[in-house]
Every structure is written in structure tokens, then in C-alpha cells.
Amino acid sequence: MVTLREYETRVVEGIRLSAADRLMCAGEELGTRIRVRELAGGRLELAAGPFVGVVRLDACEIRVLPKYLGEELDVLRMLEYAAGRELPSLEAVRTVRAGAPHLRDLVALLVTEHCERLLAHGVRRDYVTIEDELPMVRGRLLAERQVLRHYGRLDRLACRFDEHDTDIVDNRLCGAAVDLAARTASSPAVRARARRAAARFAGLAPTRLGDLRSALDGLDYHRHNAHYEGAHRWAALLLSGGGVRDLFTSGSLASRTFLIDMNVLFEAFATRLLREAAAGTGFTVRDQSRHRGVLRNERTGRHYSEVRPDVMISGSRDGEPLTRPVDIKYKLYDDRKVGTPDLYQAFLYAHALARQPGQGAPTCVLLHPGGVSGPREDITVRRWDGGTSARVRSVSLDLPSLLDALKGAERGPALARVLAAALD
């Protein structure tokens, strides 16, 4: 196994890719997530981006660890929080603790745990429409098919009827996930548990799942299947290869890779964090709001391009309106300056969209990961007369300590500190 951190580049010795490895690494889906390049002398150059997880090649297994988090378990906690769920307890992680489980095995374990609970309580049945040829009429006789296929016969009758069955999408999705876990998990303990669950689901829902995206789009949760939602969420993550926003299910690639885009995850996590922190305070949080009138072509009088900040916080302070755009960046600015392109974008948001009570300069917040002792930076645009026309405030989130606080009694104070840092 070769281990590296996000954004790290390493050169390893003595690894030769197979023909299948070269084909997979040259593909756009994997190539945009991690770069694998063969060098002279049997060396391999690996360059990770903002994707965390594992890639299983014939030649080796590549494990990309999070850079701004304490461990891979925190990635799962961020996923659950961003989805609007309580943080998972992950008590059964002891099953694979001895083998230093990677992110994919942890998700496989969570899928298996949820499916075991469903099996213990009894899986759901629903009415399924079936067409079959029977010796007696059941449901509706399909007269046209009967005439075309069995004209004059009374022992083979084409019928359509409803069967109360377990072979439904709810169970097929679970079955496909535990089957994949049973075949591909690195941990023997996870494989063994998944095999037992997969064998039972294979008997209950033998029909193949088919296209994952279609299956997920067709799910509708109600009181009869709400208890399946957790299992389905982890199953979709495993079957998609870790896709948070755009699922990719290209056959063997999804079974050999599990990579989560931390840019997408951090944006979703921070957005929910701000929304929860603002609840009950009088401030509202909107994400991805579009503003088309900001940039305009003066010759034609038409909109030039739209402006869309990640988050807009709106409310009032001391009776005066306050609007604060927030730009969410999955970058560590504690040990380096804020990038100039990020500053330009944030200053545009401040000038065009921010409203500050009193005579204060309009401000945009740049929210990013950081350490506990990370300083808060304020960067200003100064006019020719020395006045301040706009401000960008760099606010860091210490993700490990924040995730710990969200689990216990410190949740309220931690959320209050986040909102205060964004609005002060």
C-alpha cells in the first residue's frame, strides 16, 4: 500500500503498472482525481488532489488521507452532518480497527451494519406487478398475448397480477451494496460479515439492481420505508465509488476506486453549519443564490455574467440591515497568504452584495479549514484617499475539534462561535 496526503506528490520505487492499470489511470474519471505517471527505472509518480479515499490497482493500493482532518472517520462524520443527519457513532469500527481500515472499508462496514439491522427486524415487502403464464387465471388475463402465443390452449394462461414480494428496489439496493462489500473489502472481518448479509439479500431480492442513478431517482421515502434511508445512503456512496455530487458508475472503476471530493464535502458541511448556527437568531442563510444584475455590458445594457456566492447571510443588527456573503474554500491559509484570485472574487462579492450597518466597510467572509490557533486575517481595499472601500475576513474552522463539539454539550456554543466569527 502506498499512502499520501491530499495535494501531496510522491515518487515510489519498484511498482510496475499492468495494462489494465494504465488504461484505468489514463481515463478521465480517475485521471481528474489522482494523477498516476510512470517514470524511468520502474518508478511511479503519484499526485493527489482534493480527493480522499483509496484506489486499488493491480500493481498496488493507493490510499489518500485527509490533510485537514484528524482521521478518515471524520470524513464520514462530515458526510453525515452535511446530509442533515446526526453524527454516526461508528461503534463497530472495532471490527476492523486492528487492520487500520481505510475509508472504503469503513463505508462497507456501515452498509453491512445497517443491512444487518434491516434483516434482524424483517425486510420490507411491497406489491410488485408480475406477468406470467399460469395454469389458471390470476389477476388479469392478457387476452392479446394469450391469442398470439397460446391460441386455443387453456393450460397456459397469460396473466398480469400483483405479488406481495421482497424483490423490490429497497432491498435490491441493499443487496447490491453488501455484495460489493463482500467481494472487494480489504478487511477479512468486513468481507465475512458482508458475505452473510449478501447471501440473505440474494434470496430475498434476486433481481439485479440495474442502473444506480435510476434506482436512486426512483426512491420515495415514507412511513413504510423510512428506516431504509440510512442503509441506502451508505449503499449509494459505496456503489458510486464515493461520489458526493455526481455519481459515476463505470463498471469495474466504481468497485476499484473510492474517492470523495473534499471541496464538495467541505462546502456542503460549512453551509449546513452556518444554517444551523443561524437558526433562531433572526438571520437567514441562503446557499448558491444567483445575482444576474451585478455585471452588466454598458454598450448593450444586458447582463454580462451572473454572480453566485456560496452562502448569503442576511438579517439586521441594531435595527439596520446586514448582508454578509460567504465564500467557502477548502484551502489552508494558516501558513500562507490568501490567494490573489480568491481575494479578487471575495472583494467582488463584498463590493456588489454586502451591506454593513453604520459606516463600516462592506465585508465578505472567506471560510476555510484551519488550526485551533489560526489567526483571523482582515484584508482591505484602500481608496486613493486612504479610506476602506471593502474588506475580506478570513475565518478558519478547526474541523477535528468542531466535529467533536458537534457530538456533545458543546454543540450550541460551537455553533454560536462560528456565526459570531462570520458576522463580527
Side-chain angles (χ1 to χ4, degrees):
M1 178 184 291
V2 180
T3 302
L4 64 162
R5 295 273 176 183
E6 293 173 272
Y7 299 107
E8 182 183 354
T9 299
R10 283 191 60 189
V11 175
V12 293
E13 307 278 349
I15 297 180
R16 296 187 180 276
L17 300 181
S18 67
D21 290 341
R22 293 188 184 97
L23 185 63
M24 190 169 84
C25 293
E28 182 180 354
E29 288 180 332
L30 183 60
T32 56
R33 290 161 169 81
I34 181 170
R35 190 177 76 245
V36 180
R37 190 163 66 99
E38 290 184 284
L39 304 177
R43 297 178 301 155
L44 205 64
E45 182 186 72
L46 307 173
F51 289 84
V52 171
V54 62
V55 178
R56 301 175 68 178
L57 304 176
D58 293 335
C60 65
E61 185 173 276
I62 305 168
R63 183 175 180 180
V64 183
L65 301 176
K67 183 177 182 180
Y68 307 141
L69 289 167
E71 53 184 348
E72 289 163 296
L73 289 176
D74 288 335
V75 177
L76 301 185
R77 295 189 174 100
M78 284 182 68
L79 279 167
E80 283 292 80
Y81 183 81
R85 307 291 169 186
E86 291 302 314
L87 303 183
S89 61
L90 303 173
E91 293 176 356
V93 169
R94 61 179 180 274
T95 304
V96 290
R97 177 68 72 184
H102 54 59
L103 193 59
R104 190 178 189 278
D105 272 13
L106 292 173
V107 173
L109 176 60
L110 285 169
V111 170
T112 304
E113 282 188 325
H114 279 275
C115 290
E116 287 171 342
R117 294 192 197 107
L118 293 173
L119 290 167
H121 290 87
V123 298
R124 179 173 176 259
R125 294 174 179 267
D126 202 356
Y127 286 100
V128 180
T129 300
I130 298 175
E131 294 183 357
D132 201 359
E133 296 171 356
L134 305 174
M136 62 185 67
V137 175
R138 181 179 179 186
R140 177 185 174 187
L141 178 68
L142 302 178
E144 183 177 351
R145 182 181 299 180
Q146 181 69 22
V147 171
L148 291 174
R149 294 187 180 181
H150 306 297
Y151 180 75
R153 294 187 61 177
L154 299 178
D155 59 330
R156 302 294 293 172
L157 303 175
C159 302
R160 179 183 293 138
F161 56 94
D162 290 335
E163 183 77 64
H164 201 228
D165 200 358
T166 58
D167 193 8
I168 57 178
V169 173
D170 286 337
N171 295 323
R172 292 172 195 165
L173 181 56
C174 293
V178 289
D179 176 68
L180 182 61
R183 291 185 287 107
T184 60
S186 298
S187 165
V190 174
R191 286 200 307 272
R193 288 180 62 175
R195 273 196 301 268
R196 291 192 291 269
R200 293 188 61 185
F201 272 105
L204 294 165
T207 303
R208 292 180 61 86
L209 177 65
D211 181 67
L212 175 61
R213 190 185 298 274
S214 299
L216 295 174
D217 289 343
L219 288 174
D220 181 26
Y221 294 104
H222 43 77
R223 65 186 181 89
H224 296 296
N225 70 342
H227 58 297
Y228 272 78
E229 192 170 358
H232 288 168
R233 190 168 60 257
W234 293 115
L237 192 64
L238 182 66
L239 290 168
S240 68
V244 175
R245 177 173 293 172
D246 299 316
L247 302 179
F248 63 96
T249 55
S250 303
S252 60
L253 181 62
S255 65
R256 298 181 67 183
T257 65
F258 187 86
L259 295 169
I260 292 177
D261 188 342
M262 294 300 295
N263 281 322
V264 174
L265 177 55
F266 181 69
E267 181 179 331
F269 174 82
T271 300
R272 192 206 162 189
L273 193 70
L274 290 170
R275 185 174 286 117
E276 186 179 357
T281 65
F283 286 92
T284 60
V285 172
R286 291 183 300 151
D287 62 291
Q288 299 294 326
S289 57
R290 300 170 183 265
H291 303 267
R292 298 191 61 201
V294 173
L295 301 177
R296 181 182 295 271
N297 186 320
E298 289 194 345
R299 181 180 64 83
T300 63
R302 295 182 178 180
H303 303 304
Y304 189 79
S305 179
E306 71 177 19
V307 173
R308 187 169 59 182
D310 295 323
V311 168
M312 287 286 289
I313 306 176
S314 303
S316 62
R317 176 171 288 172
D318 299 328
E320 295 186 64
L322 184 151
T323 304
R324 184 66 51 86
V326 179
D327 193 21
I328 300 171
K329 298 293 186 185
Y330 186 66
K331 299 177 180 179
L332 191 64
Y333 289 126
D334 285 359
D335 55 356
R336 61 186 176 93
K337 292 183 178 179
V338 177
T340 302
D342 296 340
L343 277 179
Y344 288 166
Q345 183 181 39
F347 277 127
L348 172 62
Y349 293 157
H351 274 286
L353 304 175
R355 297 184 69 182
Q356 187 74 14
Q359 301 301 314
T363 302
C364 175
V365 168
L366 193 61
L367 195 63
H368 59 89
V372 177
S373 59
R376 190 181 76 180
E377 298 286 351
D378 282 4
I379 302 127
T380 60
V381 171
R382 304 301 292 263
R383 296 190 301 267
W384 62 272
D385 60 358
T388 299
S389 64
R391 175 181 290 106
V392 170
R393 175 161 295 157
S394 171
V395 175
S396 64
L397 297 178
D398 180 58
L399 295 177
S401 63
L402 184 56
L403 286 166
D404 288 339
L406 291 174
K407 292 187 297 183
E410 290 297 313
R411 186 186 188 109
L415 291 170
R417 287 193 295 271
V418 171
L419 185 63
L423 295 179
D424 286 349

